[in-house]
Amino acid sequence: MQNPPEHAYPSHWEADVVLRDGGTARIRPITPADAERLVSFYEQVSDESKYYRFFAPYPRLSDRDVRRFTHHDYIDRVGLAATVGGEFIATVRYDRINDQGLPAKSPDDDQAEVAFLVQDAHQGRGVASALLEHIAAVARERGIRRFAAEVLPANSKMIKVFTDAGYTQQRTFEDGVVRLEFDLEPTEQSVAVMRGREQRAEARSVQRLLAPGSVAVIGTGRAPGGIGRTVLRNILSCGFTGRVHAVNHAFPEDLRRLDPEGVPAARTLRDIPDPVDLAVIAVPADRVPDVVRDCGEHGVQGVLILSSGYAEAGPEGRERQRALLRQARSYGMRLIGPNAFGLINTAAGVRMNASLAPQLPGAGHIGLFTQSGAIGIALLSGLHERGPGDGGIAGISSFVSAGNRADVSGNDLLQYWYDDPDTDVVILYLESIGNPRKFARLARRTAAVKPVVVAKGARHSGTAPPGHTVPTVQVPDSTVAALMRQAGVIRVDTVTELVDAGLLLASQPLPAGPRIAILGNSEALALLAYDACLTERLRPLHPRVLDSAARPDDFRTALAETLGGDGCDAVIVTAIPWVGEQDGPTPPGGEGAALAAALRAVAASHPHKPVTVVHLAMDDLATTLAAPVPASPGGTSTPEPPAARPAESPSNQPNPSNQPNQPNPSNQPNPPNPSNPSNPPEPQYPHPRHSRGAASVRPPIPPGPPPATMATPPAHDAEAAAAPPRRRSAPLRIPAYPAAERAVRALAEAVRYAAWRRDAAEPGRVPEYDDIQEAAAGADIERLLGRLAPGVPNGRSVAVPPEDAAALLARYGIHTHPVLPAPDPDSAVRAAARLGYPVALKTTAPHLRHRADLGGVRLDIAGEDELRRVYAELTDFLGSPEELRPVVQSMVPRGVDTVIRAAIDPAVGAVLSFGLAGAPSQLLGDVDHRLIPATDREVAEQIRAIRAAPLLFGWRGSQPVDTATLAELLLRVSRLVDDHPEVVAVDLEPVVVAPQGVSVLGAAVRLAPAPVTTDLGPRRLPAY
């Protein structure tokens, strides 16, 4: 097939990717200007690799070869290169061929031959796998559906690249050559393979930053003070286990050691003979590019830039930041910052505090990420106050404050913490989300194995904070919050709530249900806790109030009885200082310490239910409960509580209570809610745990099946099936709160998260419908775009005419009731005769559409005379027919008017929305949102999630409507948008849900060319 020799350079194919070892490379199309790079690259490839590529000795490229490999039409012949430092490290190309394997002559030929060449020094880094993902995406864009590759049998590495990709493939052997053919349509397995590689690569890139073997602080001041010198001292004071270098171009030439720190000193990185893994840069912004260049040439793996003067300083600084990111990535380095606060790793083998925090936080199991340095300080300070020291309740595993977040973001940390054995709980403070679609996917996968707690700043401004060069997300914050909840994210509003929820989740097992027992020696405090539980929609039991003079033994007995019973899922202990005469001497350590010991002892013997404490004026109680587990007299930690025995199948798993689900006790003031029944205590499973010192214990596992036994999730949750086991600290450290509302709010978040975990174990399915005509719908969409889209600017959508919209929806079994135009009374009469009486007369003018309250809709018109009269009234009161655009539609069975919408937001992705039509959705915002594709279980929950849902289920004696058919309609809309990314908006309003069946009375569809890249495309780092 002949094509013009030159085509526009496809810049959207450029991408930065993270490789298997954590380094980065840039993938881009090869151009004629790359001739010298290609020759240089080929000279560095071994003879063996050349033989594998060309099946014969091929020592050098001829001029003809160079031209052929650098001149492409970007349609039938495409070449991509992976580069580091501007030089090629690998190439891939495809040539379109016909069925006989000859160069293609027809645009209908949809097969191509593909070949790779990777420099020997970079083999094993996953370069070929990344190139295959990108060349496959390019080929699909150019209409190629199948790749063929011929490989020598001895080239096992390349054969593995193809066979491990997850595509549907065929393999043959002929004439001493292995021929592989594979379809390029993404499969569930290929997507899972791609995302698994992405997770491992990005996690490894963060691990290299958090656990470097050597650190250079560039910009270390010659005198005490200053940012560089402060960070250097912080690194040294915490006992960092690696090598440390101080670098400053202003050091005297004969300075070899910086005192009093006693570390090697150098003027530049070039003067350091050893490798440097992490460079901490604290120099003025105008000097940073030179420093980054030195880092790249020295082989530094990552840079932490504390310097300011970038995007937060205005447009000039924003361009400086973008140039900085391009420079760092060109050398294969990840970047934290600029304007960063620093990073911390408390692991015993690292002990690094490369931040401005004056001391290393205690070691623990909370992973902490912030975009704001000020919030980072507040979180570290708040955690330190609640439980200082290694092994305390507030200990962290790692901390990153990314500043302007030019490169490393919360998504990268989610990839790292997902399978980090030292992190049990993830806490994120976000001011902007650069890739919300990816964030929702990663958060959902991580939340399936460990809690993810998020507070988001700048929720209502609609703009990113200064310094964050990310696209502005226009979706309402309520929508973002709903999608976070669907992904299992625990969304809180304040920094205090971040700490409160994080401490409870890091120290206690998840509750099996919403039944909360309350006991303590203060009736007033117990009632405050009771009221707070009702506010949070928990199910509190009647408080058990002890005498105000109750001693620790009294608390011990009451708590043991409560935890040992089957009527509760969690316990709140309230405590005030003892009032009354004491029968004996004050316990050693004071009242609080004695009570803490009693509570700890009971909690340790009942490890399957969470316990939290509310106290007033008992700071010693909170301090003791938060402290590391005390060692026994023999020098060992408190004995490990017994773990539940693992079960072989869900049907025979042990129940901690040994009882079926218990009804709400008769003495409970608030009766059970039929729509939200209590959940039975779920079985517990032991998981392996890596010891972090003498206080380590084997934890019980939260309710619900562990990831290894979860039911098979839908395609978009496939990664959760192979999730790593989650550790859970034993309840020997108990969180204490100075206010009942704070304790209950944290506990309520744990209850809701536990319910989500149980639901995630059986996520439902995306149903198949036999009457869906996917291929025909695709042909309709292609035809409509060809007719409607020419001349429409990129990024804009076009409205589909009503007749075409109805036909497209019908391909998916979504049938709209016909609407006939009525430009005059005679046309209205003819339309009614065609449809059959009774009919409705409606205006379709934008300002009157769906506004029955303004008189724009007249119903139950029984005959011609009435129709002519109503038509005259409508036009007399509201305007001329040309302005009103009247239509006639047949009447449908009465029911509840609802609205269904699906839309693709560039940031969030495809979203399915549901609510009641009119005031509930438009005025009150009573709309629920779900990510597409939605499962049958998610849609059932969506219908019940809106506040006005009782109207659908027989409120005040009304007849319930057909929610099963409504759910099917939602699923069909979800399938349409998921199958065809060109469908960017569907609006069904009103949808009348009757006791039997649903009627779609109005429908609108918008189309746009499919986006070039999506979250389902090849992995790439974001570029802002």
Side-chain angles (χ1 to χ4, degrees):
M1 164 171 128
Q2 299 297 322
N3 287 292
E6 297 293 337
H7 292 271
Y9 176 79
S11 59
H12 63 277
W13 292 351
E14 296 180 352
D16 293 305
V17 299
V18 183
L19 303 177
R20 181 181 301 155
D21 62 356
T24 66
R26 184 162 185 80
I27 294 176
R28 64 171 178 82
I30 298 174
T31 71
D34 291 319
E36 292 185 6
R37 291 187 183 89
L38 180 65
V39 172
S40 175
F41 158 73
Y42 195 76
E43 290 175 349
Q44 299 178 61
V45 176
S46 69
D47 291 339
E48 181 184 40
S49 295
K50 294 174 182 175
Y51 186 88
Y52 284 154
R53 169 64 176 85
F54 294 103
F55 299 1
Y58 215 89
R60 63 185 59 85
L61 296 175
S62 66
D63 291 342
R64 182 179 178 182
D65 292 330
V66 172
R67 177 174 179 81
R68 181 162 64 96
F69 292 149
T70 57
H71 286 68
H72 305 96
D73 62 11
Y74 301 128
I75 296 178
D76 297 331
R77 301 183 310 278
V78 173
L80 302 179
T83 68
V84 173
E87 299 300 322
F88 287 5
I89 64 170
T91 62
V92 62
R93 64 175 281 117
Y94 77 68
D95 293 271
R96 193 189 297 259
I97 58 177
N98 59 22
D99 292 339
Q100 288 75 43
L102 301 175
K105 301 295 185 182
S106 167
D108 296 330
D109 292 323
D110 61 356
Q111 186 174 201
E113 192 169 47
V114 65
F116 293 79
L117 186 60
V118 181
Q119 242 178 41
D120 296 67
H122 294 277
Q123 292 178 8
R125 300 185 65 200
V127 184
S129 298
L131 282 173
L132 177 58
E133 292 176 18
H134 283 261
I135 198 71
V138 168
R140 289 193 297 269
E141 181 183 334
R142 295 312 195 201
I144 293 172
R145 298 291 175 258
R146 190 173 182 82
F147 269 168
E150 294 186 344
V151 187
L152 291 175
N155 193 359
S156 57
K157 291 181 181 179
M158 188 51 61
I159 292 176
K160 184 174 176 59
V161 168
F162 291 121
T163 57
D164 288 353
Y167 295 108
T168 302
Q169 57 186 260
Q170 297 176 349
R171 180 172 176 172
T172 58
F173 182 78
E174 187 175 352
D175 297 330
V177 175
V178 177
R179 181 175 177 84
L180 297 167
E181 296 183 1
F182 48 96
D183 296 330
L184 298 182
E185 187 66 25
T187 65
E188 183 175 335
Q189 182 181 359
S190 69
V191 172
V193 167
M194 179 181 66
R195 289 179 173 172
R197 289 171 173 167
E198 174 193 59
Q199 187 273 326
R200 291 188 295 272
E202 293 181 2
R204 173 59 179 160
S205 72
V206 173
Q207 192 269 339
R208 299 201 312 178
L209 294 166
L210 286 172
S214 59
V215 176
V217 181
I218 304 174
T220 302
R222 288 174 292 176
I227 293 177
R229 194 73 174 250
T230 298
V231 172
L232 176 69
R233 291 194 170 185
N234 290 344
I235 293 173
L236 296 173
S237 64
C238 67
F240 176 56
T241 59
R243 301 183 304 276
V244 183
H245 302 271
V247 180
N248 190 329
H249 74 287
F251 283 161
E253 293 186 4
D254 59 348
L255 183 66
R256 296 292 179 267
R257 183 169 296 276
L258 183 67
D259 291 320
E261 291 83 359
V263 299
R267 290 169 56 87
T268 68
L269 280 177
R270 292 187 296 272
D271 299 331
I272 300 176
D274 303 321
V276 173
D277 298 325
L278 174 67
V280 181
I281 300 176
V283 302
D286 58 354
R287 288 194 50 228
V288 170
D290 293 336
V291 173
V292 171
R293 183 195 63 239
D294 291 345
C295 291
E297 294 175 351
H298 195 75
V300 173
Q301 296 178 350
V303 291
L304 167 62
I305 300 181
L306 308 178
S307 311
S308 58
Y310 287 90
E312 81 282 358
E316 183 179 346
R318 186 175 298 110
E319 291 305 314
R320 186 184 299 122
Q321 181 169 306
R322 288 173 173 151
L324 170 65
L325 178 59
R326 289 193 296 268
Q327 183 187 24
R329 286 183 176 172
S330 72
Y331 287 107
M333 298 185 295
R334 298 304 305 269
L335 181 155
I336 296 178
N339 197 26
F341 182 74
L343 55 86
I344 294 171
N345 187 347
T346 65
V350 181
R351 303 288 295 179
M352 181 178 69
N353 178 15
S355 77
L356 297 173
Q359 62 184 17
L360 184 73
H365 302 301
I366 297 175
L368 185 59
F369 174 85
T370 74
Q371 294 173 354
S372 162
I375 299 300
I377 295 172
L379 281 169
L380 290 174
S381 175
L383 289 170
H384 180 75
E385 291 176 359
R386 299 286 290 275
D390 289 348
I393 194 172
I396 70 169
S397 60
S398 48
F399 163 82
V400 174
S401 181
N404 291 4
R405 197 184 53 69
D407 182 21
V408 173
S409 69
N411 284 349
D412 294 286
L413 271 298
L414 282 174
Q415 298 278 42
Y416 172 73
W417 284 323
Y418 166 67
D419 56 6
D420 175 35
D422 290 333
T423 301
D424 283 351
V425 177
V426 172
I427 293 180
L428 306 172
Y429 176 80
L430 306 176
E431 293 175 335
S432 61
I433 303 176
N435 189 342
R437 190 180 306 196
K438 182 177 179 179
F439 172 79
R441 169 168 61 86
L442 299 185
R444 185 188 189 101
R445 183 192 60 191
T446 304
V449 294
K450 58 186 70 173
V452 177
V453 190
V454 173
K456 187 178 182 302
R459 290 178 292 161
H460 304 295
S461 64
T463 59
H468 294 212
T469 54
V470 300
T472 300
V473 178
Q474 298 296 339
V475 294
D477 180 69
S478 59
T479 304
V480 175
L483 299 180
M484 282 190 178
R485 285 195 301 272
Q486 186 185 353
V489 172
I490 300 169
R491 172 79 179 270
V492 298
D493 295 327
T494 67
V495 172
T496 299
E497 291 176 358
L498 272 178
V499 175
D500 287 346
L503 293 184
L504 187 143
L505 292 163
S507 62
Q508 298 296 300
L510 294 179
R515 302 170 301 173
I516 311 300
I518 303 169
L519 66 90
N521 63 346
S522 168
E523 182 177 13
L525 197 54
L527 290 176
L528 286 174
Y530 181 89
D531 290 342
C533 287
L534 294 178
T535 300
E536 293 293 335
R537 304 179 72 175
L538 300 176
R539 298 176 57 187
L541 308 183
H542 188 75
R544 179 174 180 176
V545 181
L546 307 178
D547 187 87
S548 59
R551 304 301 299 270
D553 286 343
D554 300 319
F555 275 88
R556 184 197 307 269
T557 301
L559 181 58
E561 292 175 355
T562 303
L563 288 174
D566 300 327
C568 74
D569 303 305
V571 179
I572 298 175
V573 177
T574 62
I576 62 173
W578 303 334
V579 178
E581 296 182 1
Q582 297 184 7
D583 295 333
T586 301
E591 299 175 359
L595 179 57
L599 298 179
R600 268 183 164 172
V602 178
S605 62
H606 297 81
H608 307 306
K609 293 182 181 180
V611 177
T612 186
V613 171
V614 178
H615 69 94
L616 292 180
M618 296 189 72
D619 292 340
D620 54 340
L621 170 63
T623 301
T624 307
L625 288 173
V629 180
S632 66
T636 61
S637 61
T638 301
E640 165 181 312
R645 189 173 66 182
E648 296 181 0
S649 66
S651 62
N652 63 3
Q653 289 164 355
N655 188 318
S657 65
N658 294 318
Q659 296 288 338
N661 188 29
Q662 297 295 317
N664 202 38
S666 58
N667 63 345
Q668 181 175 328
N670 59 317
N673 183 351
S675 64
N676 183 26
S678 62
N679 295 298
E682 296 286 338
Q684 311 291 319
Y685 299 83
H687 276 196
R689 178 185 178 95
H690 299 275
S691 174
R692 284 180 65 97
S696 296
V697 295
R698 178 178 296 279
I701 293 302
T709 63
M710 284 185 179
T712 302
H716 61 272
D717 255 2
E719 297 157 282
R726 176 175 178 241
R727 305 178 310 160
R728 168 63 67 185
S729 301
L732 296 178
R733 293 162 300 168
I734 300 174
Y737 301 88
E741 296 78 11
R742 288 172 56 181
V744 171
R745 192 175 299 117
L747 186 58
E749 296 294 356
V751 169
R752 287 188 281 267
Y753 170 68
W756 181 89
R757 282 281 295 272
R758 289 189 293 272
D759 292 343
E762 299 178 4
R765 62 186 183 88
V766 178
E768 298 287 340
Y769 297 106
D770 295 336
D771 60 341
I772 285 181
Q773 304 171 35
E774 182 177 347
D780 289 347
I781 291 169
E782 185 176 357
R783 174 180 54 81
L784 288 169
L785 284 174
R787 191 181 87 207
L788 303 173
V792 176
N794 290 336
R796 298 292 182 89
S797 61
V798 294
V800 178
E803 300 81 4
D804 294 312
L808 176 60
L809 292 170
R811 299 286 193 188
Y812 272 71
I814 304 168
H815 300 287
T816 60
H817 278 257
V819 176
L820 300 180
D824 53 65
D826 292 336
S827 300
V829 170
R830 288 193 296 271
R834 178 178 172 185
L835 296 173
Y837 290 98
V839 297
L841 180 66
K842 305 188 293 187
T843 65
T844 59
H847 66 289
L848 294 173
R849 187 174 176 83
H850 307 310
R851 294 299 305 274
D853 57 318
L854 297 182
V857 179
R858 304 296 178 90
L859 305 176
D860 289 318
I861 302 173
E864 178 180 342
D865 293 340
E866 183 180 359
L867 177 59
R868 290 184 181 276
R869 177 177 56 79
V870 169
Y871 194 99
E873 292 176 354
L874 205 66
T875 53
D876 288 344
F877 289 128
L878 297 179
S880 66
E882 293 78 12
E883 180 184 0
L884 300 181
R885 307 175 203 171
V887 296
V888 175
Q889 191 172 42
S890 60
M891 290 295 298
V892 299
R894 294 297 180 93
V896 180
D897 289 358
T898 65
V899 57
I900 296 174
R901 294 189 177 95
I904 295 181
D905 183 271
V908 177
V911 178
L912 180 68
S913 304
F914 169 75
L916 297 195
S921 58
Q922 297 176 3
L923 181 62
L924 303 178
D926 187 16
V927 179
D928 190 74
H929 310 276
R930 303 284 158 156
L931 291 174
I932 291 175
T935 67
D936 51 1
R937 180 167 188 161
E938 290 168 344
V939 163
E941 293 172 351
Q942 182 176 28
I943 293 172
R944 290 161 175 79
I946 59 174
R947 297 191 296 277
L951 293 174
L952 301 170
F953 296 94
W955 184 64
R956 288 191 172 181
S958 62
Q959 188 173 2
V961 298
D962 191 353
T963 54
T965 305
L966 174 62
E968 180 180 327
L969 178 59
L970 283 160
L971 288 166
R972 289 178 180 272
V973 173
S974 172
R975 277 288 309 274
L976 171 63
V977 176
D978 187 49
D979 291 344
H980 304 284
E982 300 89 349
V983 180
V984 296
V986 175
D987 190 339
L988 306 183
E989 183 181 7
V991 176
V992 181
V993 188
Q996 295 293 329
V998 300
S999 303
V1000 181
L1001 302 186
V1005 177
R1006 298 190 69 85
L1007 300 179
V1012 175
T1013 60
T1014 68
D1015 192 44
L1016 292 178
R1019 50 192 155 123
R1020 60 173 61 210
L1021 289 172
Y1024 305 127

